[in-house]
Amino acid sequence: MTLDDLRAFVAVCDSGSLSAVARELGCTQSAVSQRVRRLERELGLTLLERQPRGVSPTQAGRVLHRSAADGLGGLDQALRRLRDMRQGGGGTVRITTGATTVRHFMSAGVVAFRRRHPHVSLEFQTENSTRACLEALAANAADLAWITIRPPVRGVEQRPVTELPWVLAVRADDPLADRTEIGPGELAAIRHIRLPENSISRLRLDEHLTRQGTEPVSTTSVADWDTAILLAELGLGHAVVPALPGWHRSARRDLRLIPIPGLPPLAAGWAVRRWDALSPAALAFAETVSDSLHRRPDGGPDDDEHDGAQDGTEYGTEYGARDSGPLPPGAADHGSG
C-alpha cells in the first residue's frame, strides 16, 4: 500500500469514475484499476463496485475513503507548512468563496494582509455555493473557505465572523420605499426575486418565511446577491437579501434597503478542515479579514482603499453587518506567523 494508491482510491471515490481519475493523473484507466486492486489484495476486501455509470465504494470502501481522505488532507497541509517554513515566511494561502465575497467582505483585509505579508501569495477559487466551498476544503484544494455558516459538517470547523441582517431591497419609487422597517408577514405581497437555488441563504430564508406562514410570489431568480439587488433597483421586483457590507457606498439613488428585524440574521465566516493544522500565513489571513470587518460598524472597506485606517459610519446601526466578535482564541493563538 502506497500513498499514491490511497490518493488514486480517494480520487475514484470522489469522482465515481476510473476514467476521470486516469485523465486527471495522466495515466491509463488500467493503471488506476491496478492501484485499487492492490489495496483490495492487501486488505482482503472489495473496495469498489461497478454501477450502471461509473463505480461507488462498498461499505469497506467508505470506511477507507473517510479515513484516507482525512489523513491525506492532513499530510498535504503538513507538507505545505514545511515548505512555507523552508521559504522563510512566504508560501501560498488558498481561499475558496463566492463570486462577490472578496468585494464585500475582504477588500480591506486583503490590502492589510498584503502590507504585512508581502511575500505570501493569495489564490482565490470561486465557487457558486457553500457546499462547493466545503467540497474544495474536503479535497484539500483550499486552506480557507468563506461561507454562510451552516449546521455542523463532519471534518470541518466553522467559525462565525459577522452577522448579516435581512433587508428588503426596493426601487426608490416603490410604495414600500418610505418604510423604516417591514415585518415578515408583509412579504407575502411582494414580487419576490428569489436567491440562488442551492444557496444556504435561500434555504434559511425559505425556512424563516415558511415558519411565519409567508410565501411571496416569485417573479424571477438570480445567481447571486448582487444581481438580486440590481434587479430590485431596476424595478423588476423586490429582493429579500442579507445586508452586505459596503452596499451603502454604492450611491444608488434609485434603491432603498428596508430592515426586516423579524428575520434572524444570517451568519457568515470561515470554514477550515482543522484550525490547528493551518499554516501561520493562512491563520494570519483569516484573522486579518476578521479584524478588518470588526473595525467598522458596517464592515466595509476604507474610504481610501490604500489607507489601512478604518473610521466608523452610522450604516451599521441601520442595515449593516453586525459583528459576531473576533475569531475564537484557537485562531489567534496561531495567527502571528
Side-chain angles (χ1 to χ4, degrees):
M1 182 185 303
T2 68
L3 287 176
D4 287 340
D5 293 342
L6 289 171
R7 289 186 191 280
F9 171 71
V10 169
V12 170
C13 290
D14 290 340
S15 69
S17 170
L18 292 165
S19 59
V21 173
R23 288 193 297 271
E24 181 180 340
L25 297 179
C27 63
T28 65
Q29 182 173 328
S30 176
V32 176
S33 297
Q34 288 174 12
R35 291 192 178 281
V36 176
R37 284 199 294 269
R38 186 156 51 228
L39 290 173
E40 291 178 327
R41 286 196 302 270
E42 185 165 341
L43 296 171
L45 293 166
T46 301
L47 299 175
L48 293 177
E49 55 188 1
R50 293 197 173 275
Q51 301 293 336
R53 292 186 177 181
V55 295
S56 65
T58 62
Q59 181 178 0
R62 289 192 292 272
V63 171
L64 180 61
H65 174 244
R66 285 194 296 267
S67 297
D70 289 345
L72 290 170
L75 176 62
D76 289 340
Q77 284 188 324
L79 292 175
R80 291 186 67 249
R81 287 192 65 175
L82 292 173
R83 285 194 293 270
D84 290 347
M85 291 170 63
R86 186 180 64 221
Q87 293 170 6
T92 300
V93 179
R94 303 168 302 166
I95 306 101
T96 180
T97 187
T100 62
T101 297
V102 175
R103 179 190 314 131
H104 290 299
F105 295 96
M106 297 187 186
S107 56
V110 167
V111 172
F113 183 83
R114 173 62 56 217
R115 287 178 172 174
R116 299 169 191 166
H117 306 274
H119 303 297
V120 177
S121 298
L122 297 176
E123 292 182 359
F124 291 92
Q125 175 180 331
T126 300
E127 299 290 356
N128 60 7
S129 67
T130 287
R131 177 179 297 179
C133 290
L134 296 179
E135 288 173 351
L137 282 181
N140 199 38
D143 305 307
L144 297 161
W146 182 270
I147 64 168
T148 302
I149 299 299
R150 54 180 296 168
V153 178
R154 184 183 179 278
V156 174
E157 297 179 12
Q158 301 180 69
R159 285 183 175 165
V161 174
T162 191
E163 287 188 340
L164 309 173
W166 292 94
V167 295
L168 179 67
V170 303
R171 187 173 169 82
D173 57 5
D174 190 273
L176 296 172
D178 293 331
R179 297 285 297 274
T180 57
E181 64 178 54
I182 191 167
E186 299 176 87
L187 300 177
I190 68 173
R191 293 175 292 118
H192 192 200
I193 300 170
R194 301 201 74 180
L195 297 177
E197 180 72 32
N198 296 317
S199 66
I200 296 296
S201 55
R202 174 164 167 174
L203 176 64
R204 294 283 172 77
L205 178 60
D206 287 350
E207 289 176 348
H208 296 326
L209 295 182
T210 299
R211 198 172 297 124
Q212 299 273 354
T214 302
E215 295 186 12
V217 176
S218 178
T219 58
T220 187
S221 61
V222 294
D224 58 69
W225 297 339
D226 278 354
T227 304
I229 283 289
L230 176 60
L231 294 184
E233 184 180 14
L234 295 175
L236 297 185
H238 307 85
V240 181
V241 289
L244 295 181
W247 270 350
H248 70 299
R249 294 176 174 272
S250 302
R252 289 173 163 171
R253 290 177 294 179
D254 294 331
L255 182 69
R256 298 291 184 270
L257 300 177
I258 306 169
I260 313 173
L263 294 180
L266 197 67
W270 291 115
V272 302
R273 288 171 62 93
R274 285 177 50 193
W275 283 102
D276 60 6
L278 284 181
S279 69
L283 286 162
F285 181 78
E287 187 174 306
T288 301
V289 169
S290 178
D291 288 347
S292 72
L293 289 171
H294 294 153
R295 283 177 187 157
R296 29 179 335 140
D298 67 337
D302 302 334
D303 287 333
D304 178 359
E305 291 184 355
H306 302 285
D307 189 337
Q310 306 227 0
D311 46 318
T313 73
E314 74 284 359
Y315 177 74
T317 62
E318 294 185 317
Y319 342 101
R322 293 203 296 263
D323 299 340
S324 292
L327 286 176
D333 291 344
H334 302 275
S336 59

